[in-house]
Amino acid sequence: MASKAEKIVAGLGGIDDIEEIEGCITRLRTEVSDPSLVNDTALKAAGAHGVVKMGTAIQVVIGTDADPIAAEIEDMM
């Protein structure tokens, strides 16, 4: 079974699409290479409450576990 972090990585287009990531209170703030690879449905299935897209900047609203999830994703990079 994939972890929540792994599911979020998949929803963001895979580890190779993620340029940077940081936790910010209740959101994951990410910069991706190709925003067309971001799958809102997969992110919501992984537990995201919402997804905000601004070009290559993607914010995934996931709640108070944003910081530990960001750290887990950084470890994968």
Side-chain angles (χ1 to χ4, degrees), residues 12-71:
L12 288 170
I15 205 73
D16 292 334
D17 194 43
I18 301 171
E19 300 279 323
E20 60 181 80
I21 189 161
E22 74 176 295
C24 182
I25 305 176
T26 61
R27 297 170 184 242
L28 292 174
R29 295 179 186 260
T30 67
E31 193 72 35
V32 296
S33 300
D34 183 355
S36 71
L37 297 177
V38 175
N39 183 330
D40 292 26
T41 304
L43 289 168
K44 288 181 181 172
H49 303 290
V51 180
V52 180
K53 297 179 180 179
M54 297 160 288
T56 59
I58 311 294
Q59 292 183 16
V60 183
V61 182
I62 57 169
T64 56
D65 53 351
D67 283 327
I69 289 176

Side-chain angles (χ1 to χ4, degrees), residues 4-16 18 43 73 76:
K4 187 172 187 175
E6 290 169 328
K7 291 176 184 175
I8 290 171
V9 165
L12 288 170
I15 205 73
D16 292 334
I18 301 171
L43 289 168
I73 293 171
M76 292 182 212

